[in-house]
């Protein structure tokens, strides 16, 4: 992982495939505080929703319920009942024109 000072301290993680992304998501999920906010930025098709699916799976949430918020803007994904209760809020943000 490398922080890019030219991009506001962004962390760039080159990955070979989706299974590598899942491994990074699992490690990331384990290192986040209970209430955390991640800002993902990237072009359409860059893998933002794929990362959120992997984070949801790591939180005990069915990744099949995670879809791109392009149309709905905000999606809430809750873990099945029982401790520990997990929630992923997946939102899209569009820059002003």
């Amino acid at each position: 992982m490398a922080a890019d000072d030219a991009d506001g301290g962004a962390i760039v993680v080159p990955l070979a495939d989706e299974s590598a992304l899942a491994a990074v998501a699992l490690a990331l999920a384990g290192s986040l505080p209970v209430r955390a906010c991640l800002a993902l930025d990237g072009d359409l098709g860059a893998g933002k929703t794929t990362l959120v699916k992997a984070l949801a799976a790591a939180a005990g949430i069915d990744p099949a319920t995670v879809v791109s918020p392009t149309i709905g803007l905000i999606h809430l994904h809750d873990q099945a009942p029982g401790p520990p209760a997990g929630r992923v809020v997946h939102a899209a943000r569009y820059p002003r024109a």
Side-chain angles (χ1 to χ4, degrees):
M1 275 190 261
D4 181 357
D5 290 331
D7 195 19
I11 296 174
V12 178
V13 182
L15 302 170
D17 53 30
E18 281 190 33
S19 63
L21 179 67
V24 168
L26 186 61
L28 179 60
S31 69
L32 292 172
V34 173
R35 293 186 179 264
C37 179
L38 299 176
L40 306 177
D41 183 34
D43 292 333
L44 188 64
K48 300 176 298 293
T49 296
T50 303
L51 176 62
V52 174
K53 283 178 177 275
L55 286 169
I61 298 166
D62 181 1
T65 65
V66 177
V67 295
S68 175
T70 303
I71 302 303
L73 298 182
I74 297 176
H75 296 274
L76 299 178
H77 306 284
D78 291 314
Q79 182 185 30
R87 169 173 272 182
V88 171
V89 178
H90 188 199
R93 179 188 125 0
Y94 295 95
R96 289 186 191 178

